[in-house]
Amino acid sequence: MRQTAAPELVRSRRLLTGYFAGLGVVMAIWGARMPAVQNAAEVTTAGLALVLLAAALGMVAGLQAGGRLARPARLPALLTGGAIALAACLAVLGLCFSLESLLAAAFTFGIAHGVLDVAANAAAVRCQDAHGRPIMGRLHASYSLGALLGAALAATTAHTSHTVLFAAVAAGAAAAAGATTRLTRTVASPALEPVHHGAAPTSDNRKGLSRRRLWLLGALAAATLLGEGAAADWASVHLHNLGATAATSAAAYGCYSAAMAAGRLAGDRLTARFGADTVVRTGAALAALGLATGLAGSTTASALFGWTAFGLGLSVTIPSLITAAGTGGPRAVATVAVTGYVGLLAGPALIGALATVTALPHALLLPALLAASVAVLAPKALEKTTP
């Protein structure tokens, strides 16, 4: 590594760590206080589903727009602008007291989220290329840790108006984005050009990402995020159906999230040593086997083990898929993100539908089977993508 580039590399990595963590905080705050938003606007469950659909459609639009705009020279503006827009939308969501206003605000919130997501991941790929070693796992771990922090903040302020909480978090996020405006220029710096340390960095293969491989990456992202959606929406229900207390049931997703954060923190070293394909294949196999074992055990302890193993096993998959997609540029990152998000949205509903015709543990075998398919297909999708 060139010594003159080292300071900018460090600053850009720290900046992106903050952006990923902040995004996790904002999204966790929004999700955790959803019941308060629903009550304030006096919307039905069907109405809330429409609000979530509006946010999802907005995010798809934002991801696609971000993929077209995320060139290196534009990344600073997209990061700062996207963060401030997302913060402003969160504050506005706290002031919505009708279904119509919620739909408009949620759609705009989704657009800002999508643009910021692509910008952050495109900048992360660029920063990783310049480092010449994996750092994507730690950056995504900061999102997981931010989400845990946001969930904890939402829990400790449960008796505070969601309007006040949204405004306070939005003000903090916007202030942080404004304060680091000059620092965002480091992600567009010529110093963040890929370096060579034996194996070719991901930038060397930007013209070699075939459409077939791109869609394979997207399919694996959809399979993985379907599992993440299943954990978020069904892990606690699974424990509750086994007779666990409310606190133990809630701990299921906490175990999953903590294991995912820990796995991502360790994932970069493992990827550098063994290669992305090996680490993802092994992790996905662990996820499949762990969840299947937890479902078969039919006890609280086995279920907690299963969701913990599932989170740990899937932890490195999305960072590795984003790294591989980054070889095709920001549009490829956006394509994989959009395809993956389809799995995140459709997964919980699909599992619910399956659970109506069979038992929930049987329906939850779907994410385990998809994790097994990720283990089988990972080598083909991730060949030669480790920095």
Side-chain angles (χ1 to χ4, degrees):
M1 184 186 300
R2 295 164 294 188
Q3 292 185 351
T4 55
E8 290 191 334
L9 283 176
V10 172
R11 287 195 293 269
S12 63
R13 187 180 70 243
R14 290 175 178 173
L15 172 76
L16 291 173
T17 297
Y19 264 90
F20 276 97
L23 185 56
V25 170
V26 169
M27 297 312 298
I29 290 291
W30 161 240
R33 296 306 298 269
M34 195 78 67
V37 173
Q38 181 181 10
N39 291 334
E42 297 182 346
V43 299
T44 63
T45 301
L48 183 59
L50 287 176
V51 172
L52 296 176
L53 178 60
L57 292 175
M59 185 175 182
V60 170
L63 288 168
Q64 292 176 333
R68 295 187 182 96
L69 295 172
R71 300 294 181 267
R74 297 173 181 168
L75 288 176
L78 290 175
L79 287 171
T80 301
I84 293 176
L86 187 70
C89 289
L90 180 67
V92 171
L93 283 167
L95 299 171
C96 293
F97 301 104
S98 69
L99 176 60
E100 293 77 13
S101 60
L102 268 178
L103 289 172
F107 182 75
T108 310
F109 181 80
I111 292 175
H113 182 194
V115 170
L116 183 58
D117 187 274
V118 171
N121 276 295
V125 170
R126 181 173 167 80
C127 186
Q128 179 172 255
D129 281 352
H131 273 277
R133 59 182 173 81
I135 63 168
M136 191 70 76
R138 283 183 228 175
L139 292 177
H140 279 244
S142 66
Y143 177 91
S144 299
L145 295 173
L148 288 174
L149 175 61
L153 179 60
T156 56
T157 59
H159 298 294
T160 301
S161 166
H162 75 283
T163 299
V164 174
L165 177 61
F166 284 11
V169 172
T180 56
T181 298
R182 294 184 63 183
L183 189 57
T184 58
R185 297 174 188 172
T186 60
V187 302
S189 170
L192 263 70
E193 293 300 326
V195 295
H196 300 267
H197 295 290
T202 57
S203 291
D204 288 350
N205 197 36
R206 290 198 185 281
K207 59 185 179 181
L209 187 63
S210 67
R211 182 174 295 273
R212 181 178 180 181
R213 188 177 173 205
L214 175 62
W215 286 111
L216 177 58
L217 291 171
L220 295 185
T224 302
L225 290 180
L226 184 149
E228 292 196 20
D233 290 359
W234 290 105
S236 296
V237 178
H238 176 218
L239 268 291
H240 176 74
N241 289 351
L242 292 176
T245 64
T248 302
S249 297
Y253 185 63
C255 290
Y256 166 88
S257 299
M260 177 161 281
R264 285 177 170 174
L265 287 172
D268 290 332
R269 291 185 179 180
L270 294 173
T271 299
R273 182 172 182 179
F274 300 107
D277 54 342
T278 299
V279 174
V280 171
R281 182 178 70 240
T282 303
L286 170 64
L289 181 60
L291 181 57
T293 300
L295 294 171
S298 299
T299 66
T300 298
S302 64
L304 287 173
F305 165 79
W307 289 112
T308 301
F310 192 62
L312 182 63
L314 290 184
S315 60
V316 294
T317 305
I318 292 297
S320 297
L321 294 176
I322 293 296
T323 294
T327 65
R331 287 197 182 187
V333 171
T335 298
V336 171
V338 168
T339 310
Y341 200 61
V342 170
L344 183 66
L345 290 174
L350 179 57
I351 289 171
L354 290 174
T356 62
V357 297
T358 184
L360 178 60
H362 296 159
L364 287 172
L365 284 173
L366 175 61
L369 291 172
L370 289 175
S373 70
V374 172
V376 172
L377 296 172
K380 187 173 184 179
L382 298 174
E383 57 184 357
K384 300 179 181 178
T385 59
T386 303

